[in-house]
Amino acid sequence: MNYQETINWMFNQLPMYQLQGASAYKKDLTNVHLLANHLNNPQQNLKCIHVAGTNGKGSTSHMLASILEEAGYKVGLYTSPHLKDYRERIKINGVEIPEDFVSEFINENKSFFEAHDMSFFEMTVGLAFEYFAKEKIDIAIIEVGMGGRLDATNIITPLVSVITNIAFDHTQFLGNTLEAIAFEKAGIIKPGIPVVIGEYTPETKPVFLAKAKENHSEIYFASDLVSVNYASDLIGDYQVHNKKTVIQTISILNSQKEFTIYETDIKSGLLSVMKNTGLQGRWQQLGEFPKIICDTAHNKNGLEIVMQQIQKEKYDTLHIVLGVVNDKDLNEILPLFPKNAKYYFCKPNIPRGLKATILQEEAQKHHLSGTIYHSVSDAYIQSKNNSTKNDFIFIGGSTFVVAELPLNKGI
């Protein structure tokens, strides 16, 4: 199979959470251990940082990668989901994994994948570990897909474990209390390995402390230990928490004396995250007159912060292009959105996308008024056509909405 045929096979024939939801979730690590053994355990040859959390783990992972790149290291970065191209998930120093490597890996191991009913996510994790090991990287930043304890990435022994924060998301898998979700995320804490907690609540802190004590792991609460005066090209208000988490993690790496990262590396790395790593969709500006911002925030915690930042903007009229997935709790997120905006309701182009007609009906119950559009693109174009230079356009509600935007055609 060539690259496109390989990707089609992966997407269409195997379960994948971002398309299917619950049917793609596996409740143990048996398969990924089988796969790792089949590949001769490439993860054992990697030095890693493991990053979990409800929100911010993508930004945190990319910031860490950028800083380490600035320090002169060969850095592997594994994240999910992708926005435009599957290969965004696996990068070395900002360069995506070659198409040929993806095709050859899948073709060589296809019979094994089929025999053991490997999920899309398990295959992708195996691909990342294999690629990073063969390329002899200095360090890998590995982002958890969902949860932590049962996530396919959780077969590594990292130098540092990182948990950005805990909020309600994926409750059908992770539990419907903050304590339960924290327990799943804390599953990445390993014996004797230090752990950095980005943010905590009265409900989650005891869970982290208990797990760290059980594993004899040093625990660092970054929000209490770090003050941030570093600028970044990631300008969302929520990035202040992620920067604290990153700086604490870098401090631990330095103390372990396996890596040397100077303050100049931190400064330049934080200012060059998008350039160094290709990160997109985090309070990203796509236009100036009118100002156009997109953001991948999609749960209550993330959207609250984004809506607060919108309120700080000055504009004549606010236009919001909005789409969500069909398992989203609309009664939880729709009250967060401003009532004085013009809404452009749309459906992200994936099977899990919620029909725009349903979204409009539910939004009207919360006094949000707008028009239905056949696609994200149509909604986005119409929002620009309806705007004057002093207006403000926001596009979001789902990672998959942002994925359909022309992100490389910004200001």
Side-chain angles (χ1 to χ4, degrees):
M1 296 186 292
N2 62 27
Y3 174 71
Q4 193 55 55
E5 291 168 340
T6 300
I7 294 301
N8 291 342
W9 180 81
M10 294 176 74
F11 274 70
N12 295 332
Q13 295 193 26
L14 295 177
M16 186 173 73
Y17 173 73
Q18 76 180 62
L19 294 181
Q20 294 180 238
S23 65
Y25 187 65
K26 295 191 177 182
K27 296 191 175 181
D28 62 63
L29 297 176
T30 302
N31 260 20
V32 74
H33 278 298
L34 280 173
L35 177 56
N37 289 332
H38 172 71
L39 299 173
N40 296 316
N41 290 296
Q43 79 282 358
Q44 294 180 359
N45 297 318
L46 302 176
K47 295 177 180 177
C48 302
I49 300 173
H50 205 189
V51 183
T54 303
N55 295 312
K57 59 184 183 290
S59 294
T60 297
S61 296
H62 284 78
M63 286 181 186
L64 286 167
S66 182
I67 290 169
L68 285 159
E69 285 177 39
E70 291 290 325
Y73 295 106
K74 188 175 184 179
V75 185
L77 178 61
Y78 172 79
T79 58
S80 62
H82 61 272
L83 286 176
K84 299 289 188 181
D85 186 333
Y86 169 78
R87 296 181 303 129
E88 294 169 27
R89 295 168 179 254
I90 304 170
K91 299 178 180 178
I92 295 177
N93 284 11
V95 179
E96 296 169 357
I97 185 173
E99 292 182 357
D100 288 350
F101 196 100
V102 177
S103 300
E104 288 168 11
F105 177 82
I106 297 298
N107 288 327
E108 286 173 8
N109 297 287
K110 186 168 178 279
S111 59
F112 180 87
F113 297 150
E114 291 174 327
H116 295 88
D117 192 27
M118 290 285 158
S119 74
F120 176 96
F121 195 76
E122 288 161 346
M123 289 191 301
T124 305
V125 168
L127 171 62
F129 292 164
E130 178 91 341
Y131 180 56
F132 293 157
K134 285 192 173 180
E135 289 295 314
K136 295 181 170 56
I137 61 168
D138 296 312
I139 190 168
I141 315 299
I142 306 295
E143 180 194 352
V144 167
M146 182 172 62
R149 182 175 65 93
L150 300 175
D151 187 76
T153 63
N154 201 27
I155 61 170
I156 59 175
T157 302
L159 299 171
V160 189
S161 302
V162 178
I163 302 173
T164 57
N165 58 35
I166 303 296
F168 290 106
D169 201 15
H170 305 307
T171 54
Q172 66 270 47
F173 309 112
L174 306 179
N176 55 16
T177 67
L178 291 176
E179 292 93 338
I181 297 169
F183 175 79
E184 293 298 325
K185 307 285 186 185
I188 71 165
I189 300 175
K190 302 293 195 307
I193 304 299
V195 57
V196 175
I197 308 298
E199 301 171 73
Y200 63 87
T201 68
E203 298 90 346
T204 63
K205 188 173 184 178
V207 178
F208 295 139
L209 287 169
K211 190 67 175 178
K213 183 178 180 181
E214 174 190 329
N215 283 281
H216 305 286
S217 299
E218 290 288 333
I219 187 167
Y220 301 82
F221 293 96
S223 58
D224 296 341
L225 297 171
V226 177
S227 59
V228 172
N229 297 311
Y230 298 104
S232 175
D233 59 345
L234 303 183
I235 57 176
D237 285 356
Y238 49 83
Q239 299 296 1
V240 65
H241 301 294
N242 297 328
K243 283 190 281 188
K244 288 184 178 184
T245 306
V246 165
I247 291 163
Q248 182 61 58
T249 304
I250 293 295
S251 174
I252 293 170
L253 274 188
N254 271 331
S255 70
Q256 293 172 339
K257 301 191 184 306
E258 292 203 44
F259 296 87
T260 302
I261 304 108
Y262 296 104
E263 186 173 9
T264 52
D265 302 323
I266 296 173
K267 288 180 177 178
S268 57
L270 289 175
L271 284 170
S272 307
V273 180
M274 290 189 285
K275 176 176 71 72
N276 285 345
T277 70
L279 178 65
Q280 298 192 100
R282 274 64 170 188
W283 195 263
Q284 183 173 349
Q285 188 165 349
L286 304 180
E288 194 167 8
F289 299 108
K291 188 172 183 180
I292 304 171
I293 295 289
C294 68
D295 196 280
T296 56
H298 56 275
N299 55 40
K300 182 180 179 181
N301 177 258
L303 285 167
E304 276 179 335
I305 299 171
V306 168
M307 292 303 119
Q308 290 166 9
Q309 189 161 357
I310 289 175
Q311 289 174 12
K312 298 177 184 177
E313 297 286 338
K314 295 180 180 179
Y315 49 77
D316 290 341
T317 302
L318 174 61
H319 306 260
I320 295 182
V321 177
L322 184 62
V324 299
V325 292
N326 59 21
D327 54 359
K328 191 60 59 183
D329 185 347
L330 297 180
N331 289 323
E332 184 176 68
I333 66 166
L334 288 176
L336 304 175
F337 284 85
K339 297 176 176 61
N340 63 340
K342 291 184 178 179
Y343 285 86
Y344 303 74
F345 300 110
C346 53
K347 172 187 175 295
N349 188 27
I350 61 168
R352 284 175 62 220
L354 182 69
K355 290 182 179 178
T357 51
I358 297 174
L359 180 58
Q360 183 195 47
E361 289 171 8
E362 293 300 313
Q364 287 173 343
K365 296 176 184 177
H366 298 276
H367 310 290
L368 309 179
S369 300
T371 306
I372 295 167
Y373 293 89
H374 293 297
S375 68
V376 172
S377 178
D378 287 348
Y380 178 50
I381 290 169
Q382 195 57 49
S383 72
K384 291 196 291 183
N385 290 342
N386 290 347
S387 298
T388 68
K389 66 178 183 178
N390 295 321
D391 288 353
F392 185 93
I393 301 172
F394 175 79
I395 312 100
S398 169
T399 299
F400 307 109
V401 169
V402 174
E404 296 183 45
L405 298 174
L407 296 176
N408 295 320
K409 298 178 181 178
I411 58 174

